Amino acid sequence: MINTESFEFDSVYHIFSHVNGKELIFREETNYQFFLKQLDKYIIPISEIYA
């Protein structure tokens, strides 16, 4: 079950990730694929992505 208790309906949230310097976020293709699967499973069903 997805925990959405702390999110308000019809609000905009800025969610980001970053690294120090020029380090890669996804070092392997499998890391990127895992991220996309998690995004599809948990975020896409309950939100819209603008960027």
Side-chain angles (χ1 to χ4, degrees):
M1 182 172 190
I2 299 171
N3 180 2
T4 58
E5 293 178 33
S6 60
F7 293 104
E8 294 183 29
F9 179 74
D10 212 21
S11 296
V12 175
Y13 294 91
H14 179 199
I15 301 172
F16 64 95
S17 63
H18 60 87
V19 296
N20 292 329
K22 295 182 180 181
E23 186 176 345
L24 297 174
I25 295 175
F26 305 110
R27 295 177 188 215
E28 311 242 346
E29 179 67 23
T30 55
N31 298 132
Y32 182 61
Q33 294 303 320
F34 176 79
F35 168 76
L36 292 178
K37 286 180 185 177
Q38 298 303 305
L39 185 72
D40 192 43
K41 182 177 181 180
Y42 294 108
I43 304 300
I44 301 298
I46 62 168
S47 67
E48 296 178 14
I49 297 176
Y50 293 105

